[in-house]
Amino acid sequence: MAVQDNYQALPTDIFLASYPKTETTWLKALAFAILNRTKLKTDSGSSPTHPLLTISPHDCVPFSESESFLNNPSYANGLMATHIPYTSLPKSIIRFDCRIVYICRNPKDVLISFWHFLNKLKDDVSTPMKLDDAFELFSKGMIPSGSFWDHMLGYYKASLERPDKVLFLKYEDLKKDTESEVKKLAKFIGNPFNEEEECDGSLQKIIGLCGFENLSKVNKDSSKVLSDDIYFRKGIVGDSVNYLTTEMIQILDKITKEKCEGLDLSF
Ligand code: A3P
């Protein structure tokens, strides 16, 4: 509520919105690398200079609702992230019609990613959360960002109403056709790749820099209390089939079908 009332966006700000565990980290890295590509070198040499070769994407793009940002708003550099639902966004973001990029992912994979994440957050002496309990909380929307489906639909509907201001991306598309989706993202945030960059390997370099392999390696030995490593697990599509029961899959698919009825949206 404090962010909603007090956060002062600028008309030029770009917001990266997502439900937790839907590839926020990847989107942050890509948008940051795209916007800064002329001033930052992507090469990893003996002394790498690009921030994504040494620090976490979460240190490059802050969350508008995080304590560290609220205590130091000068940290913002035109690119911000948020997990806040569309209907609860700070009023200034809507008033200034700021551009928003939303990333979404198959809810079954989100649940599995979320469950692993919560258990990594626990200390060694706490009992791990059971998948049954995580399923219960997730399917009822009883977690800090609320219902996955309502969160996604808020941004999806906004993207239909204002396609020039809200871009809706799906992780599965980004994974399948990374070049096209990254080009789409670059164009939307006002920094399209030109023909030369597409041919000289600049586009591919950005994709490589932000890829799971590079980022998980860079963030492996983080010494922070909440290690940056926690944001990297497998980074694959469809991992949920290895964990969910047939009944859980049916229940989640039913919710998705009902919530997305009449919309050109499927997972
Ligand atoms: P998994 O747990 O399925 O592996 P978020 O960034 O919103 O916290 O989401 C975390 C998920 O994104 C994790 O999924 C993580 O492995 C995956 N991820 C993080 N960085 C990635 C990247 N550069 N490319 C692909 N997936 C990535």
Side-chain angles (χ1 to χ4, degrees):
M1 286 165 73
V3 178
Q4 196 183 26
D5 290 341
N6 300 320
Y7 182 82
Q8 289 305 325
L10 295 172
T12 47
D13 282 348
I14 298 170
F15 284 82
L16 308 177
S18 62
Y19 190 85
K21 303 297 121 202
T22 60
E23 303 287 332
T24 317
T25 312
W26 196 13
L27 179 62
K28 279 187 178 190
L30 284 169
F32 179 82
I34 291 168
L35 284 178
N36 292 293
R37 69 182 184 275
T38 47
K39 55 177 190 245
L40 297 171
K41 279 203 182 127
T42 55
D43 297 315
S44 57
S46 49
S47 49
T49 51
H50 198 289
L52 289 171
L53 291 167
T54 51
I55 60 170
S56 163
H58 293 287
D59 292 328
C60 299
V61 184
F63 280 107
S64 62
E65 59 269 31
S66 75
E67 215 173 298
S68 54
F69 174 69
L70 288 170
N71 290 335
N72 184 17
S74 59
Y75 186 23
N77 199 9
L79 196 56
M80 298 293 303
T82 187
H83 285 320
I84 299 176
Y86 185 74
T87 45
S88 304
L89 281 175
K91 297 177 188 83
S92 57
I93 299 180
I94 304 297
R95 194 174 62 241
F96 286 135
D97 218 7
C98 296
R99 274 167 296 173
I100 299 171
V101 181
Y102 188 76
I103 186 148
C104 184
R105 184 185 188 189
N106 183 317
K108 290 170 283 188
D109 287 348
V110 178
L111 163 60
I112 292 304
S113 186
F114 164 72
W115 173 56
H116 280 100
F117 184 77
L118 285 187
N119 280 332
K120 276 198 216 165
L121 282 180
K122 284 181 178 267
D123 55 45
D124 293 342
V125 289
S126 312
T127 325
M129 180 185 263
K130 291 197 191 97
L131 178 56
D132 279 354
D133 295 334
F135 170 80
E136 201 64 21
L137 294 173
F138 182 81
S139 53
K140 291 188 175 146
M142 290 168 67
I143 51 177
S145 294
S147 156
F148 163 86
W149 294 273
D150 293 347
H151 198 283
M152 167 189 77
L153 289 175
Y155 284 95
Y156 181 70
K157 288 178 183 163
S159 77
L160 296 182
E161 285 160 13
R162 300 185 301 125
D164 54 328
K165 294 293 176 181
V166 185
L167 176 69
F168 190 92
L169 297 176
K170 273 164 72 175
Y171 168 57
E172 291 74 16
D173 297 337
L174 193 54
K175 193 89 184 168
K176 199 160 109 193
D177 193 355
T178 310
E179 282 196 14
S180 304
E181 294 297 298
V182 169
K183 280 197 272 180
K184 197 198 282 181
L185 170 64
K187 191 170 172 210
F188 181 83
I189 60 180
N191 231 314
F193 287 93
N194 58 35
E195 250 175 61
E196 196 188 329
E197 287 176 301
E198 284 183 33
C199 298
D200 70 7
S202 305
L203 171 62
Q204 291 72 16
K205 268 192 188 162
I206 298 269
I207 292 172
L209 176 73
C210 301
F212 184 87
E213 209 180 311
N214 176 57
L215 293 185
S216 56
K217 201 165 64 194
V218 168
N219 291 276
K220 211 179 173 96
D221 300 316
S222 156
S223 55
K224 290 185 193 162
V225 178
L226 178 59
S227 168
D228 293 321
D229 185 31
I230 199 167
Y231 294 100
F232 305 92
R233 192 180 65 93
K234 287 188 182 171
I236 56 170
V237 174
D239 186 43
S240 52
V241 294
N242 298 314
Y243 299 92
L244 297 175
T245 63
T246 309
E247 197 195 351
M248 286 172 174
I249 291 176
Q250 281 170 352
I251 293 172
L252 294 173
D253 283 347
K254 187 164 172 272
I255 303 175
T256 304
K257 199 169 163 222
E258 284 169 6
K259 291 277 190 182
C260 298
E261 193 163 359
L263 301 172
D264 185 17
L265 192 57
S266 60
F267 294 96

Short mmCIF file of all heavy atoms in Angstrom, two decimals, residues 18-27 29-30 57-58 63 83 103 105 109-110 112-114 116-117 120 171 175 207 209-216 230-237 239, ligand 1:
data_model
loop_
_atom_site.label_atom_id
_atom_site.label_comp_id
_atom_site.label_asym_id
_atom_site.label_seq_id
_atom_site.Cartn_x
_atom_site.Cartn_y
_atom_site.Cartn_z
N SER A 18 5.62 -9.34 -13.28
CA SER A 18 5.53 -10.80 -13.32
C SER A 18 4.98 -11.32 -12.00
O SER A 18 5.07 -10.65 -10.97
CB SER A 18 6.92 -11.40 -13.52
OG SER A 18 7.74 -11.06 -12.43
N TYR A 19 4.45 -12.52 -12.06
CA TYR A 19 4.12 -13.28 -10.86
C TYR A 19 5.43 -13.97 -10.46
O TYR A 19 6.20 -14.36 -11.36
CB TYR A 19 3.04 -14.30 -11.21
CG TYR A 19 2.42 -15.00 -10.04
CD1 TYR A 19 1.36 -14.41 -9.34
CD2 TYR A 19 2.87 -16.25 -9.64
CE1 TYR A 19 0.78 -15.07 -8.26
CE2 TYR A 19 2.28 -16.91 -8.56
CZ TYR A 19 1.25 -16.31 -7.88
OH TYR A 19 0.67 -16.96 -6.82
N PRO A 20 5.70 -14.13 -9.17
CA PRO A 20 6.97 -14.79 -8.81
C PRO A 20 7.14 -16.15 -9.47
O PRO A 20 6.17 -16.90 -9.63
CB PRO A 20 6.86 -14.94 -7.28
CG PRO A 20 5.89 -13.89 -6.87
CD PRO A 20 4.91 -13.74 -7.99
N LYS A 21 8.35 -16.45 -9.85
CA LYS A 21 8.75 -17.74 -10.44
C LYS A 21 8.29 -17.94 -11.89
O LYS A 21 8.16 -19.05 -12.37
CB LYS A 21 8.26 -18.93 -9.58
CG LYS A 21 8.74 -18.89 -8.16
CD LYS A 21 10.25 -19.00 -8.09
CE LYS A 21 10.85 -17.81 -7.42
NZ LYS A 21 12.24 -17.58 -7.75
N THR A 22 8.03 -16.81 -12.57
CA THR A 22 7.63 -16.93 -13.98
C THR A 22 8.74 -16.41 -14.91
O THR A 22 8.45 -15.96 -16.00
CB THR A 22 6.33 -16.16 -14.25
OG1 THR A 22 6.55 -14.79 -13.92
CG2 THR A 22 5.16 -16.71 -13.46
N GLU A 23 9.99 -16.43 -14.46
CA GLU A 23 11.13 -16.01 -15.27
C GLU A 23 11.42 -14.52 -15.20
O GLU A 23 11.96 -13.92 -16.13
CB GLU A 23 10.97 -16.45 -16.74
CG GLU A 23 10.78 -17.94 -16.91
CD GLU A 23 12.07 -18.75 -16.67
OE1 GLU A 23 13.15 -18.18 -16.89
OE2 GLU A 23 11.97 -19.91 -16.27
N THR A 24 11.14 -13.96 -14.06
CA THR A 24 11.44 -12.55 -13.80
C THR A 24 12.94 -12.28 -14.01
O THR A 24 13.33 -11.27 -14.61
CB THR A 24 11.11 -12.22 -12.33
OG1 THR A 24 9.87 -12.82 -12.00
CG2 THR A 24 11.09 -10.74 -12.07
N THR A 25 13.77 -13.21 -13.51
CA THR A 25 15.22 -13.02 -13.57
C THR A 25 15.69 -12.92 -15.02
O THR A 25 16.50 -12.05 -15.37
CB THR A 25 15.92 -14.22 -12.88
OG1 THR A 25 15.29 -14.45 -11.62
CG2 THR A 25 17.39 -13.96 -12.67
N TRP A 26 15.17 -13.79 -15.86
CA TRP A 26 15.57 -13.79 -17.28
C TRP A 26 15.11 -12.48 -17.95
O TRP A 26 15.88 -11.85 -18.69
CB TRP A 26 14.97 -15.01 -17.99
CG TRP A 26 15.60 -15.31 -19.32
CD1 TRP A 26 16.77 -14.80 -19.80
CD2 TRP A 26 15.10 -16.20 -20.34
NE1 TRP A 26 17.02 -15.32 -21.06
CE2 TRP A 26 16.03 -16.19 -21.39
CE3 TRP A 26 13.97 -17.01 -20.44
CZ2 TRP A 26 15.86 -16.94 -22.56
CZ3 TRP A 26 13.79 -17.76 -21.58
CH2 TRP A 26 14.72 -17.73 -22.64
N LEU A 27 13.86 -12.09 -17.68
CA LEU A 27 13.35 -10.86 -18.28
C LEU A 27 14.16 -9.64 -17.83
O LEU A 27 14.48 -8.76 -18.63
CB LEU A 27 11.86 -10.68 -17.93
CG LEU A 27 11.19 -9.42 -18.47
CD1 LEU A 27 11.21 -9.41 -20.01
CD2 LEU A 27 9.75 -9.30 -17.96
N ALA A 29 17.30 -9.58 -16.92
CA ALA A 29 18.61 -9.62 -17.58
C ALA A 29 18.49 -9.16 -19.04
O ALA A 29 19.26 -8.31 -19.50
CB ALA A 29 19.18 -11.04 -17.52
N LEU A 30 17.49 -9.68 -19.74
CA LEU A 30 17.34 -9.33 -21.16
C LEU A 30 17.06 -7.84 -21.36
O LEU A 30 17.72 -7.18 -22.17
CB LEU A 30 16.19 -10.16 -21.78
CG LEU A 30 16.51 -11.62 -22.08
CD1 LEU A 30 15.23 -12.39 -22.43
CD2 LEU A 30 17.53 -11.76 -23.22
N PRO A 57 21.00 -10.22 -12.01
CA PRO A 57 20.03 -9.34 -12.68
C PRO A 57 19.18 -8.58 -11.66
O PRO A 57 18.72 -7.47 -11.92
CB PRO A 57 19.16 -10.32 -13.48
CG PRO A 57 20.02 -11.53 -13.69
CD PRO A 57 20.90 -11.62 -12.49
N HIS A 58 19.00 -9.16 -10.47
CA HIS A 58 18.18 -8.49 -9.44
C HIS A 58 18.91 -7.28 -8.86
O HIS A 58 18.29 -6.41 -8.26
CB HIS A 58 17.81 -9.48 -8.33
CG HIS A 58 16.89 -10.55 -8.84
ND1 HIS A 58 15.57 -10.34 -9.15
CD2 HIS A 58 17.14 -11.85 -9.16
CE1 HIS A 58 15.03 -11.45 -9.60
NE2 HIS A 58 15.95 -12.38 -9.63
N PHE A 63 13.24 -4.16 -7.67
CA PHE A 63 11.78 -4.26 -7.54
C PHE A 63 11.28 -2.97 -6.90
O PHE A 63 11.83 -2.53 -5.88
CB PHE A 63 11.41 -5.43 -6.60
CG PHE A 63 11.45 -6.77 -7.27
CD1 PHE A 63 12.47 -7.67 -6.99
CD2 PHE A 63 10.46 -7.14 -8.18
CE1 PHE A 63 12.50 -8.92 -7.60
CE2 PHE A 63 10.51 -8.39 -8.79
CZ PHE A 63 11.52 -9.28 -8.51
N HIS A 83 6.15 -7.28 -8.76
CA HIS A 83 5.27 -8.45 -8.69
C HIS A 83 3.84 -8.01 -8.34
O HIS A 83 2.97 -8.83 -8.12
CB HIS A 83 5.74 -9.42 -7.60
CG HIS A 83 6.96 -10.23 -7.94
ND1 HIS A 83 7.18 -10.76 -9.19
CD2 HIS A 83 8.01 -10.64 -7.18
CE1 HIS A 83 8.33 -11.45 -9.17
NE2 HIS A 83 8.85 -11.38 -7.98
N ILE A 103 5.70 -10.99 -18.05
CA ILE A 103 6.10 -12.34 -18.46
C ILE A 103 5.29 -13.36 -17.69
O ILE A 103 5.06 -13.23 -16.49
CB ILE A 103 7.62 -12.59 -18.34
CG1 ILE A 103 7.96 -13.96 -18.95
CG2 ILE A 103 8.13 -12.49 -16.90
CD1 ILE A 103 9.30 -14.05 -19.59
N ARG A 105 4.00 -17.75 -17.46
CA ARG A 105 4.53 -19.11 -17.63
C ARG A 105 3.46 -20.13 -17.25
O ARG A 105 2.56 -19.81 -16.46
CB ARG A 105 5.74 -19.22 -16.68
CG ARG A 105 6.49 -20.48 -16.74
CD ARG A 105 7.58 -20.48 -15.67
NE ARG A 105 8.43 -21.63 -15.85
CZ ARG A 105 9.35 -22.04 -15.00
NH1 ARG A 105 9.56 -21.35 -13.89
NH2 ARG A 105 10.08 -23.10 -15.23
N ASP A 109 4.32 -25.37 -13.95
CA ASP A 109 5.76 -25.17 -13.76
C ASP A 109 6.04 -24.07 -12.73
O ASP A 109 7.02 -24.13 -11.99
CB ASP A 109 6.44 -24.80 -15.09
CG ASP A 109 6.53 -25.99 -16.04
OD1 ASP A 109 6.28 -27.13 -15.60
OD2 ASP A 109 6.85 -25.79 -17.23
N VAL A 110 5.14 -23.08 -12.69
CA VAL A 110 5.30 -22.00 -11.69
C VAL A 110 5.18 -22.60 -10.29
O VAL A 110 5.99 -22.31 -9.40
CB VAL A 110 4.25 -20.88 -11.89
CG1 VAL A 110 4.40 -19.80 -10.82
CG2 VAL A 110 4.37 -20.25 -13.27
N ILE A 112 5.78 -25.65 -9.26
CA ILE A 112 6.94 -26.47 -8.91
C ILE A 112 8.16 -25.59 -8.62
O ILE A 112 8.90 -25.82 -7.66
CB ILE A 112 7.23 -27.51 -10.03
CG1 ILE A 112 6.08 -28.53 -10.06
CG2 ILE A 112 8.56 -28.21 -9.82
CD1 ILE A 112 5.82 -29.24 -8.71
N SER A 113 8.33 -24.56 -9.41
CA SER A 113 9.44 -23.64 -9.18
C SER A 113 9.26 -22.95 -7.82
O SER A 113 10.21 -22.82 -7.04
CB SER A 113 9.48 -22.62 -10.32
OG SER A 113 10.61 -21.81 -10.22
N PHE A 114 8.03 -22.52 -7.55
CA PHE A 114 7.69 -21.83 -6.29
C PHE A 114 7.95 -22.75 -5.09
O PHE A 114 8.54 -22.34 -4.08
CB PHE A 114 6.21 -21.44 -6.38
CG PHE A 114 5.56 -21.06 -5.09
CD1 PHE A 114 5.86 -19.85 -4.46
CD2 PHE A 114 4.62 -21.88 -4.50
CE1 PHE A 114 5.24 -19.51 -3.27
CE2 PHE A 114 3.99 -21.54 -3.31
CZ PHE A 114 4.31 -20.35 -2.69
N HIS A 116 10.01 -25.37 -4.84
CA HIS A 116 11.45 -25.53 -4.62
C HIS A 116 12.06 -24.27 -4.00
O HIS A 116 12.90 -24.33 -3.12
CB HIS A 116 12.18 -25.83 -5.94
CG HIS A 116 12.07 -27.27 -6.36
ND1 HIS A 116 11.18 -27.72 -7.31
CD2 HIS A 116 12.73 -28.37 -5.94
CE1 HIS A 116 11.31 -29.02 -7.45
NE2 HIS A 116 12.25 -29.45 -6.64
N PHE A 117 11.60 -23.12 -4.50
CA PHE A 117 12.13 -21.84 -4.01
C PHE A 117 11.85 -21.68 -2.52
O PHE A 117 12.73 -21.34 -1.74
CB PHE A 117 11.49 -20.70 -4.82
CG PHE A 117 12.02 -19.34 -4.49
CD1 PHE A 117 13.25 -18.91 -4.97
CD2 PHE A 117 11.29 -18.45 -3.72
CE1 PHE A 117 13.74 -17.65 -4.68
CE2 PHE A 117 11.76 -17.18 -3.42
CZ PHE A 117 12.99 -16.78 -3.91
N LYS A 120 14.08 -23.78 -0.51
CA LYS A 120 15.47 -23.29 -0.45
C LYS A 120 15.59 -22.14 0.55
O LYS A 120 16.64 -21.90 1.13
CB LYS A 120 15.91 -22.81 -1.83
CG LYS A 120 16.41 -23.93 -2.73
CD LYS A 120 17.23 -23.31 -3.86
CE LYS A 120 17.06 -24.03 -5.17
NZ LYS A 120 17.53 -23.26 -6.30
N TYR A 171 6.90 -17.37 -21.33
CA TYR A 171 8.21 -18.03 -21.20
C TYR A 171 8.38 -19.11 -22.26
O TYR A 171 9.44 -19.26 -22.86
CB TYR A 171 8.34 -18.61 -19.79
CG TYR A 171 9.51 -19.55 -19.60
CD1 TYR A 171 10.80 -19.13 -19.85
CD2 TYR A 171 9.31 -20.85 -19.14
CE1 TYR A 171 11.88 -19.98 -19.65
CE2 TYR A 171 10.38 -21.71 -18.94
CZ TYR A 171 11.67 -21.27 -19.21
OH TYR A 171 12.73 -22.12 -19.01
N LYS A 175 11.42 -19.30 -24.84
CA LYS A 175 12.33 -20.45 -24.86
C LYS A 175 12.38 -21.08 -26.26
O LYS A 175 13.44 -21.47 -26.74
CB LYS A 175 11.79 -21.47 -23.83
CG LYS A 175 12.71 -22.56 -23.47
CD LYS A 175 13.59 -22.20 -22.30
CE LYS A 175 14.56 -23.34 -22.07
NZ LYS A 175 15.61 -23.01 -21.17
N ILE A 207 21.66 -12.69 -26.06
CA ILE A 207 20.94 -13.91 -25.66
C ILE A 207 21.87 -14.83 -24.86
O ILE A 207 21.48 -15.38 -23.83
CB ILE A 207 20.37 -14.63 -26.91
CG1 ILE A 207 19.25 -13.77 -27.52
CG2 ILE A 207 19.85 -16.03 -26.56
CD1 ILE A 207 18.72 -14.25 -28.85
N LEU A 209 24.57 -13.93 -23.14
CA LEU A 209 24.89 -13.28 -21.85
C LEU A 209 23.78 -13.53 -20.82
O LEU A 209 24.04 -13.74 -19.65
CB LEU A 209 25.04 -11.76 -22.10
CG LEU A 209 25.28 -10.87 -20.89
CD1 LEU A 209 26.70 -11.05 -20.37
CD2 LEU A 209 25.05 -9.40 -21.26
N CYS A 210 22.52 -13.49 -21.30
CA CYS A 210 21.37 -13.62 -20.39
C CYS A 210 20.89 -15.06 -20.25
O CYS A 210 19.92 -15.32 -19.52
CB CYS A 210 20.21 -12.77 -20.91
SG CYS A 210 20.64 -11.04 -21.06
N GLY A 211 21.55 -15.98 -20.92
CA GLY A 211 21.11 -17.38 -20.89
C GLY A 211 21.33 -18.00 -19.52
O GLY A 211 22.16 -17.55 -18.72
N PHE A 212 20.57 -19.06 -19.29
CA PHE A 212 20.62 -19.76 -17.99
C PHE A 212 22.04 -20.20 -17.66
O PHE A 212 22.50 -20.05 -16.53
CB PHE A 212 19.68 -20.97 -18.05
CG PHE A 212 19.57 -21.71 -16.75
CD1 PHE A 212 18.63 -21.32 -15.80
CD2 PHE A 212 20.40 -22.77 -16.46
CE1 PHE A 212 18.53 -21.99 -14.59
CE2 PHE A 212 20.32 -23.44 -15.25
CZ PHE A 212 19.37 -23.05 -14.32
N GLU A 213 22.73 -20.71 -18.67
CA GLU A 213 24.08 -21.25 -18.43
C GLU A 213 25.02 -20.19 -17.87
O GLU A 213 25.68 -20.40 -16.85
CB GLU A 213 24.63 -21.78 -19.75
CG GLU A 213 25.61 -22.90 -19.58
CD GLU A 213 26.11 -23.38 -20.92
OE1 GLU A 213 25.28 -23.62 -21.83
OE2 GLU A 213 27.32 -23.46 -21.07
N ASN A 214 25.02 -19.01 -18.53
CA ASN A 214 25.92 -17.95 -18.06
C ASN A 214 25.49 -17.40 -16.71
O ASN A 214 26.29 -17.31 -15.78
CB ASN A 214 25.98 -16.81 -19.09
CG ASN A 214 26.83 -15.66 -18.58
OD1 ASN A 214 28.01 -15.85 -18.25
ND2 ASN A 214 26.24 -14.49 -18.44
N LEU A 215 24.21 -17.05 -16.59
CA LEU A 215 23.77 -16.40 -15.35
C LEU A 215 23.87 -17.33 -14.14
O LEU A 215 24.25 -16.89 -13.06
CB LEU A 215 22.32 -15.89 -15.49
CG LEU A 215 22.10 -14.75 -16.48
CD1 LEU A 215 20.66 -14.27 -16.42
CD2 LEU A 215 23.04 -13.58 -16.22
N SER A 216 23.58 -18.60 -14.33
CA SER A 216 23.66 -19.50 -13.17
C SER A 216 25.11 -19.69 -12.74
O SER A 216 25.41 -19.84 -11.56
CB SER A 216 22.99 -20.84 -13.45
OG SER A 216 23.54 -21.43 -14.59
N ILE A 230 19.83 -18.86 -5.69
CA ILE A 230 18.47 -19.34 -5.41
C ILE A 230 17.52 -19.11 -6.60
O ILE A 230 16.50 -19.76 -6.72
CB ILE A 230 17.95 -18.65 -4.12
CG1 ILE A 230 16.78 -19.43 -3.54
CG2 ILE A 230 17.62 -17.20 -4.33
CD1 ILE A 230 16.42 -19.01 -2.14
N TYR A 231 17.87 -18.16 -7.48
CA TYR A 231 16.99 -17.84 -8.60
C TYR A 231 17.21 -18.76 -9.81
O TYR A 231 16.57 -18.60 -10.83
CB TYR A 231 17.18 -16.37 -9.03
CG TYR A 231 16.71 -15.44 -7.95
CD1 TYR A 231 17.61 -14.83 -7.07
CD2 TYR A 231 15.35 -15.21 -7.75
CE1 TYR A 231 17.18 -14.01 -6.05
CE2 TYR A 231 14.91 -14.38 -6.73
CZ TYR A 231 15.83 -13.79 -5.89
OH TYR A 231 15.39 -12.98 -4.87
N PHE A 232 18.15 -19.68 -9.68
CA PHE A 232 18.45 -20.57 -10.82
C PHE A 232 18.30 -22.02 -10.37
O PHE A 232 18.97 -22.45 -9.44
CB PHE A 232 19.88 -20.31 -11.32
CG PHE A 232 20.10 -18.88 -11.68
CD1 PHE A 232 20.60 -17.97 -10.76
CD2 PHE A 232 19.75 -18.41 -12.94
CE1 PHE A 232 20.76 -16.63 -11.07
CE2 PHE A 232 19.90 -17.07 -13.26
CZ PHE A 232 20.42 -16.19 -12.33
N ARG A 233 17.43 -22.75 -11.05
CA ARG A 233 17.24 -24.15 -10.69
C ARG A 233 17.49 -24.98 -11.95
O ARG A 233 18.58 -25.43 -12.20
CB ARG A 233 15.84 -24.37 -10.09
CG ARG A 233 15.65 -25.73 -9.42
CD ARG A 233 14.25 -25.86 -8.85
NE ARG A 233 13.22 -25.84 -9.87
CZ ARG A 233 12.71 -26.91 -10.45
NH1 ARG A 233 13.09 -28.10 -10.11
NH2 ARG A 233 11.79 -26.77 -11.40
N LYS A 234 16.44 -25.12 -12.80
CA LYS A 234 16.63 -25.90 -14.03
C LYS A 234 16.42 -25.05 -15.29
O LYS A 234 17.07 -25.27 -16.29
CB LYS A 234 15.63 -27.05 -14.06
CG LYS A 234 15.94 -28.19 -13.11
CD LYS A 234 14.98 -29.33 -13.40
CE LYS A 234 15.19 -30.49 -12.45
NZ LYS A 234 14.13 -31.50 -12.60
N GLY A 235 15.44 -24.14 -15.22
CA GLY A 235 15.15 -23.29 -16.37
C GLY A 235 14.69 -24.07 -17.59
O GLY A 235 15.16 -23.82 -18.70
N ILE A 236 13.78 -25.03 -17.36
CA ILE A 236 13.25 -25.79 -18.51
C ILE A 236 11.72 -25.73 -18.51
O ILE A 236 11.10 -25.41 -17.50
CB ILE A 236 13.73 -27.26 -18.51
CG1 ILE A 236 13.35 -27.98 -17.20
CG2 ILE A 236 15.22 -27.36 -18.76
CD1 ILE A 236 13.58 -29.48 -17.24
N VAL A 237 11.15 -26.07 -19.66
CA VAL A 237 9.69 -26.09 -19.80
C VAL A 237 9.19 -27.50 -19.47
O VAL A 237 9.76 -28.49 -19.92
CB VAL A 237 9.29 -25.71 -21.25
CG1 VAL A 237 7.79 -25.88 -21.46
CG2 VAL A 237 9.73 -24.29 -21.58
N ASP A 239 8.84 -29.16 -16.49
CA ASP A 239 9.44 -29.95 -15.40
C ASP A 239 8.37 -30.44 -14.41
O ASP A 239 8.59 -31.43 -13.69
CB ASP A 239 10.49 -29.09 -14.68
CG ASP A 239 11.26 -29.87 -13.63
OD1 ASP A 239 11.64 -31.01 -13.92
OD2 ASP A 239 11.46 -29.34 -12.52
P1 A3P B 1 12.79 -23.36 -12.44
O1 A3P B 1 12.61 -23.38 -10.95
O2 A3P B 1 11.65 -24.02 -13.15
O3 A3P B 1 14.10 -23.88 -12.89
P2 A3P B 1 11.95 -16.02 -11.23
O4 A3P B 1 13.08 -15.44 -12.00
O5 A3P B 1 10.63 -15.35 -11.55
O6 A3P B 1 12.23 -16.10 -9.78
O7 A3P B 1 11.75 -17.50 -11.79
C1 A3P B 1 12.70 -18.49 -11.49
C2 A3P B 1 12.68 -19.51 -12.61
O8 A3P B 1 13.35 -18.99 -13.76
C3 A3P B 1 13.44 -20.79 -12.21
O9 A3P B 1 12.74 -21.84 -12.90
C4 A3P B 1 14.81 -20.52 -12.81
O10 A3P B 1 15.58 -21.68 -13.00
C5 A3P B 1 14.44 -19.86 -14.12
N1 A3P B 1 15.49 -19.02 -14.73
C6 A3P B 1 16.23 -18.07 -14.12
N2 A3P B 1 17.05 -17.48 -15.00
C7 A3P B 1 16.83 -18.06 -16.20
C8 A3P B 1 17.39 -17.87 -17.51
N3 A3P B 1 18.35 -16.99 -17.74
N4 A3P B 1 16.91 -18.63 -18.52
C9 A3P B 1 15.94 -19.55 -18.28
N5 A3P B 1 15.37 -19.77 -17.07
C10 A3P B 1 15.81 -19.04 -16.03
#
